[in-house]
Amino acid sequence: MASTAWNPGATVLDVIAIGAPWLAAAVLTVWRRQPRLVGFMASLLSVAASAHLLLAAPEGESLYEALMLLYSCLTAGATLVLPKRDCDSRTISGILFLLGATLLAYSSGNLAVFLTGWVLSTIPFFPESWFRARAWRPATSLVLSSLALAAAIGIIYSSGHAISVDALKGRSPGGMAAFGLLVAAVILRKGIWPAHAWVADAAETGPSIPTALLLNGHLGALLVAKLILPLFPRTAGNVFPVLSWLAMATAIYVAIRTLTENSPRRLLAGIALSQSACILAGLESRTSEGITGALVHWFVVTISTTGLFGILRLLEVRFGENLTASDFLGLAGHAPRLAVFFAVFGLALVGLPGTLSFCSQDLLIHGTLMSHPVTGVVLPIATAMNAVSILRLFARLFLGRRRTGFTHMADALPRERWTLAVGVLFVVLGGLFPNLIVAQRSAEADRVVSAQAGPSVWAELSEHPPERIDHRPAASGESTRH
Amino acid sequence: MSSSQAALVFLVMAPGAVFCLLALTWLVGWVPSERVLSRITGLTFTTCLLALSPLLWTLASTGDSAISVTFGNWFAVHGYRFPLVLMADRLSLPFLAMTVTLSGLIGQFSATYLHREGGFFRFFVLLHLFAFGSLLAFAAGSFDLLIGGWELVGITSVLLIAFFDQRPAPVENSVRVFAVYRACDIGLLVAVFAMHNWAGNASFAAGMPKLAGAQPTIVCLFLLLAAAGKAAQIPFSGWLPRAMEGPTPSSAIFYGAISIHAGAYLLLRVQPLLAETRIATICVIVIGLATAIYGTIAGRASADAKTSLAFASLTQVGVVFVEIGFGLRSIAVAHVLGHAAVRTLQFLRAPSMLHDYHRMHSAIGGEIAPTGRRLEDLLPRRTQLWLYRWALDRGHLDTILDRGFIDPLLRISRLFARLDNAGRSTSAERRTKPPISIRCPAEQGVE
């Protein structure tokens, strides 16, 4: 769907990746047996199709395919980690619907399709029977962000007379009005200050794992990478720092806010939000280092925060839903493996050496400090505060006097243990051999930096795409997705 | 790769490999027995010690200034590179030898000291991770890589402070120490960024990065922040007594020997840069001197053996900082090595020393008589009292930090919380929570 030259192979794979979860979701509404198995198999199909798409993607242009693979894997993992109590056909069908919608947004090269993916990904969070939070702010933010995006796309279409992203690149269609609406959509969807509060509300009053999946779609950051930077290179260069400053303000505001938070869900949501705001700041840095760091950090934040929310949910199921960080709960004695997984995911989120986030933070901080020497200092400070918050949460949940009175309490079950181990392995192996991931993202960062350099550079790139992007044999018959 | 280069790589990687191995065995559900664990530890550090000999021999026989191993770039984005260079020179080799020797000794001591302790396995796993982090920091050929080892030392230190996790105090103190570490590590991150930005690299394998004008001063001041945090120098000294909550062997190796001297190593490493800037040099001397005086006064009012030793460490490290400030590099290195050895012994003796004192008191039928006059007796009585109160509150450093920084930050945090909660729906606030669960909810869904 994203290709300029239509490629039937890629389209079929796109349809499988997106259609399989939707089909499975539809099946689960009528046939409610074995939801975990159905969900896992459908996610696995998405994983396989996304992996094929990634392999077929041109070198340096595989970001969206990589994100599709990441999100499919994440959903497959979520279906395994989901506690038995939550694992009914409704939840699984909602998760699969969310997967399909998010992959649609990732794979789209068309404004209308992107909007469809964006709106559909919010649908499961409105009905009571699916994932509606018991607070008004999440639903309001999601609706407003969709309206802002729809209005922006409407203006872009009426001004640019095209709906394809490729056809609109570098033309700043719709001017400041469209740009402003797109930025508003990002702020509302991503939870950027001052529209940040809905994220913690959603995490606290909604279902934990589906909310984590919603947040980790990072469609706000995707909107920046997919539409704002390519379509508005000149405007983005001049006005975009405002969004960057807001992102940095969010990172530090939420980091300070979580220092005194005692609700584990709100605390985790705050840390996740603060760290994902760093992604936006990095994307705006206009340096290859910053953008590469942001893209790599995207992967880290997605995996770590989903892992953390998953573990928290497993603890809630075992020890009651009234967990609090105001007291030492001493749960490590009962669940030592969950404690270790929590510690690794938590520290991986805030730059523990030996994990992928050490590299991503290094690049991110370097890039941001290059573009914003004064305000960029905010990012390491926010990360330091987040590290303290995550350690505090770990200490309060897992350390302290061992609780007595439990007749029997299971530590991580094999399916949970090995799923979480795969996530840990990714962040650790990624940290030990980061160049495999960094080199790919670096090539994509170059394209973004080139795009931000101005329309002339972009036009020059567009005139000679084969030399720059297509390194594969001509006879391979693979996709030339942009 | 020559034999000395291979030895250097083995030396650094061996404890890291053992850590990974132990972590994996635990993940699959097997925990080695105490005997197996102590033998693995002994074997690891003995072979590491043996690996030091080719390094020493090569440096002594060839007259080379350093042995380095380059693995290329860990990752690179255009001009920004993270070089993977391990280096053993005349500065890092003594620190490497100290780390390996003392880690091995601590391993052997702990096998008996922590016998049948609940966290025996955890201690040894973290000991290997700590040794790996220290060796990485001391053998790093660039500041980028040094950060990796530096952070690992910090996190293992924090996890070992919380070793006795059944009590809240060690856990609370570990979070506090972690906060100080992270705050000060920002100095290291910013200094490395500045070096990359101004000199194009942060590698010292082929000499220090070339900086000009005010740049060395700025870089050195940021590095001093990191070094002062790690070495518990003023104004960050408050965390050191709190860190004494950990088990004695970890206190010995962290705060008597290796971790506490990591800050001094960092300053020794940047000494050529430090020599170019008078402001930073003066800051190093003033901080070192102030810490030495503070340590000796506060230590005199300490009621327990480990805290007294911690303040004694602080005093000596302060003196090391002064030596570095005056450019007495060789004396500083010798001071660090001697101090680390003596202080480790004192820490390890601390628990049994009390028994010895009790035995002596029983034998002589009363308290041991004071040995003589103290320096503080020379001061007027009122000054003595004031100093006593000052020392008892550990120089009010924690109070100053709390009132000047932490409390305002927490007040801002609570204000933000009120702002955020202003618009929350009543349904969320009235959310009914189930009573505290103390029974197994297995029937509710845990398989």
Side-chain angles (χ1 to χ4, degrees), chain B residues 283-320:
Chain B
C283 287
V284 170
I285 294 170
V286 169
I287 287 176
L289 200 61
T291 309
I293 294 167
Y294 162 76
T296 193
I297 295 173
R300 281 158 200 262
S302 296
D304 64 291
K306 274 175 76 179
T307 309
S308 299
L309 289 173
F311 279 116
S313 276
L314 212 55
T315 308
Q316 294 304 315
V317 177
V319 176
V320 170

Side-chain angles (χ1 to χ4, degrees), chain A residues 123-435:
Chain A
I123 295 292
F125 295 86
F126 293 115
E128 288 278 357
S129 57
W130 259 349
F131 310 137
R132 186 183 177 87
R134 285 180 304 229
W136 62 272
R137 285 193 290 211
T140 311
S141 286
L142 291 175
V143 167
L144 287 176
S145 73
S146 297
L147 287 175
L149 182 63
I153 288 176
I155 293 172
I156 289 170
Y157 180 67
S158 62
S159 159
H161 303 294
I163 205 81
S164 159
V165 174
D166 284 329
L168 292 164
K169 268 175 186 166
R171 288 170 52 190
S172 299
M176 281 303 291
F179 179 81
L181 283 166
L182 287 177
V183 168
V186 173
I187 289 172
L188 288 161
R189 179 71 187 244
K190 194 109 181 73
I192 297 299
W193 186 88
H196 62 282
W198 75 267
V199 175
D201 281 1
E204 191 185 29
T205 63
S208 177
I209 293 176
T211 306
L213 288 174
L214 170 74
L215 299 177
N216 283 316
H218 292 295
L219 289 193
L222 185 76
L223 179 58
V224 172
K226 199 158 204 153
L227 296 189
I228 297 181
L229 293 178
L231 264 57
F232 301 89
R234 190 172 283 168
T235 318
N238 298 332
V239 189
F240 208 43
V242 175
L243 187 56
S244 176
W245 294 331
L246 284 177
M248 284 191 263
T250 309
I252 193 76
Y253 179 98
V254 180
I256 294 172
R257 163 76 183 85
T258 49
L259 287 173
T260 50
E261 181 58 63
N262 281 331
S263 157
R265 283 190 180 206
R266 292 186 78 87
L267 210 158
L268 269 189
I271 294 168
L273 180 57
S274 181
Q275 287 299 304
S276 57
C278 297
I279 297 174
L280 216 53
L283 281 178
E284 190 282 325
S285 67
R286 286 166 288 165
T287 60
S288 289
E289 293 91 330
I291 295 171
T292 308
L295 296 178
V296 178
H297 202 54
W298 187 325
F299 285 62
V300 178
V301 170
T302 301
I303 289 179
S304 299
T305 53
T306 310
L308 288 169
F309 273 109
I311 294 168
L312 187 61
R313 183 62 193 149
L314 294 177
L315 291 175
E316 286 175 349
V317 166
R318 284 160 170 76
F319 303 102
E321 300 202 356
N322 58 339
L323 298 178
T324 170
S326 60
D327 196 11
F328 292 99
L329 303 181
L331 302 183
H334 300 283
R337 286 191 176 78
L338 287 180
V340 170
F341 284 130
F342 192 93
V344 175
F345 277 129
L347 293 172
L349 187 61
V350 291
L352 176 74
T355 63
L356 189 55
S357 71
F358 180 66
C359 316
S360 66
Q361 294 265 1
D362 189 72
L363 288 167
L364 198 58
I365 290 170
H366 187 85
T368 319
L369 280 170
M370 276 174 79
S371 58
H372 306 286
V374 179
T375 49
V377 182
V378 160
L379 286 196
I381 294 172
T383 305
M385 286 184 188
N386 288 334
V388 174
S389 292
I390 198 81
L391 189 79
R392 185 172 70 91
L393 180 61
F394 169 79
R396 294 291 172 90
L397 288 179
F398 291 102
L399 306 183
R401 186 186 291 275
R402 185 188 166 112
R403 286 287 176 92
T404 53
F406 298 112
T407 49
H408 167 71
M409 196 51 61
D411 192 7
L413 301 172
R415 70 173 160 76
E416 297 160 352
R417 186 191 308 174
W418 294 113
T419 309
L420 293 170
V422 169
V424 165
L425 218 58
F426 177 84
V427 290
V428 171
L429 287 181
L432 296 178
F433 309 102
N435 225 12

Side-chain angles (χ1 to χ4, degrees), chain A residues 84-85 134 136-137 196 204 253 256 260 317-318 322 337 353 362 396 400 405 407-408 431-432 434 446, chain B residues 26 29 74 78 80 148 151 165-166 172 178 182 413 420 423-424 427 431 436-438 440-441 444-445 447:
Chain A
K84 194 174 175 184
R85 185 190 298 181
R134 285 180 304 229
W136 62 272
R137 285 193 290 211
H196 62 282
E204 191 185 29
Y253 179 98
I256 294 172
T260 50
V317 166
R318 284 160 170 76
N322 58 339
R337 286 191 176 78
D362 189 72
R396 294 291 172 90
T407 49
H408 167 71
L432 296 178
D446 288 346
Chain B
W26 178 80
W74 196 17
H78 295 291
Y80 183 70
E151 297 277 355
D165 59 326
Q166 300 288 307
E172 289 288 9
F178 187 64
R182 291 299 299 206
S413 177
D420 282 358
R424 278 170 79 182
S427 64
R431 185 179 172 211
I436 293 170
S437 166
I438 54 163
C440 174
Q444 296 174 17
E447 294 160 349

Side-chain angles (χ1 to χ4, degrees), chain B residues 375-432:
Chain B
L375 277 174
E376 54 266 30
D377 292 340
L378 300 173
L379 298 169
R381 183 73 184 154
R382 284 187 64 160
T383 315
Q384 279 185 40
L385 279 174
W386 182 85
L387 264 182
Y388 178 70
R389 280 200 300 273
W390 186 80
L392 213 54
D393 195 34
R394 291 165 184 169
H396 312 306
L397 284 183
D398 274 356
T399 313
I400 293 168
L401 202 65
D402 282 345
R403 291 189 186 168
F405 183 72
I406 295 174
D407 288 349
L409 192 66
L410 295 182
R411 272 200 294 276
I412 294 171
S413 177
R414 289 189 194 100
L415 173 72
F416 287 172
R418 278 201 295 278
L419 289 173
D420 282 358
N421 292 341
R424 278 170 79 182
S425 68
T426 48
S427 64
E429 282 168 4
R430 288 179 199 156
R431 185 179 172 211
T432 51

Side-chain angles (χ1 to χ4, degrees), chain A residues 14-87:
Chain A
D14 272 333
V15 168
I16 292 173
I18 297 160
W22 277 351
L23 186 66
V27 167
L28 280 174
T29 54
V30 288
W31 189 71
R32 293 166 187 248
R33 299 174 66 184
Q34 300 286 352
R36 191 190 303 277
L37 185 67
V38 173
F40 181 67
M41 294 312 291
S43 316
L44 217 54
L45 261 176
S46 280
V47 170
S50 304
H52 268 91
L53 282 169
L54 181 62
L55 290 174
E59 195 180 326
E61 294 190 21
S62 56
L63 173 64
Y64 304 123
E65 288 79 2
L67 288 173
M68 286 173 74
L69 180 61
L70 175 73
Y71 200 77
S72 315
C73 291
L74 205 66
T75 309
T79 56
L80 289 178
V81 168
L82 210 62
K84 194 174 175 184
R85 185 190 298 181
D86 299 342
C87 191

Side-chain angles (χ1 to χ4, degrees), chain B residues 121-356:
Chain B
F121 177 76
R122 183 160 40 111
F123 177 86
F124 277 84
V125 169
L126 290 175
L127 178 67
H128 283 96
L129 183 61
F130 161 72
F132 172 63
S134 306
L135 293 170
L136 191 64
F138 295 144
S142 69
F143 287 104
D144 305 279
L145 198 56
L146 189 143
I147 294 177
W150 186 272
E151 297 277 355
L152 282 178
V153 169
I155 193 71
T156 45
S157 160
V158 166
L159 291 174
L160 279 170
I161 293 169
F163 182 81
F164 297 112
D165 59 326
Q166 300 288 307
R167 288 186 291 120
V171 181
E172 289 288 9
N173 285 338
S174 73
V175 177
R176 173 93 175 202
V177 174
F178 187 64
V180 177
Y181 274 173
R182 291 299 299 206
C184 295
D185 289 351
I186 292 171
L188 191 54
L189 287 172
V190 175
V192 171
F193 161 74
M195 279 190 256
H196 271 286
N197 207 29
W198 289 328
N201 69 81
S203 172
F204 47 78
M208 290 299 293
K210 298 274 181 290
L211 300 172
Q215 293 167 355
T217 307
I218 296 168
V219 167
C220 285
L221 287 176
F222 277 118
L223 289 175
L224 178 59
L225 171 68
K230 201 62 136 196
Q233 300 294 290
I234 277 181
F236 308 109
S237 309
W239 68 259
L240 192 61
R242 292 170 182 269
M244 293 301 116
E245 295 277 6
T248 298
S250 75
S251 301
I253 196 160
F254 280 92
Y255 316 113
I258 297 168
S259 177
I260 194 87
H261 290 123
Y265 173 79
L266 182 65
L267 291 182
L268 283 167
R269 186 51 81 190
V270 293
Q271 225 271 330
L273 215 56
L274 204 59
E276 293 177 25
T277 157
R278 188 168 292 176
I279 297 172
T281 305
I282 291 169
C283 287
V284 170
I285 294 170
V286 169
I287 287 176
L289 200 61
T291 309
I293 294 167
Y294 162 76
T296 193
I297 295 173
R300 281 158 200 262
S302 296
D304 64 291
K306 274 175 76 179
T307 309
S308 299
L309 289 173
F311 279 116
S313 276
L314 212 55
T315 308
Q316 294 304 315
V317 177
V319 176
V320 170
F321 267 51
V322 174
E323 290 161 359
I324 294 169
F326 281 115
L328 306 170
R329 197 177 148 113
S330 303
I331 291 176
V333 174
H335 193 165
V336 166
L337 296 179
H339 175 238
V342 170
R343 199 65 69 199
T344 304
L345 178 69
Q346 286 183 328
F347 266 110
L348 296 182
R349 275 281 287 131
S352 54
M353 188 185 72
L354 293 174
H355 290 289
D356 290 352

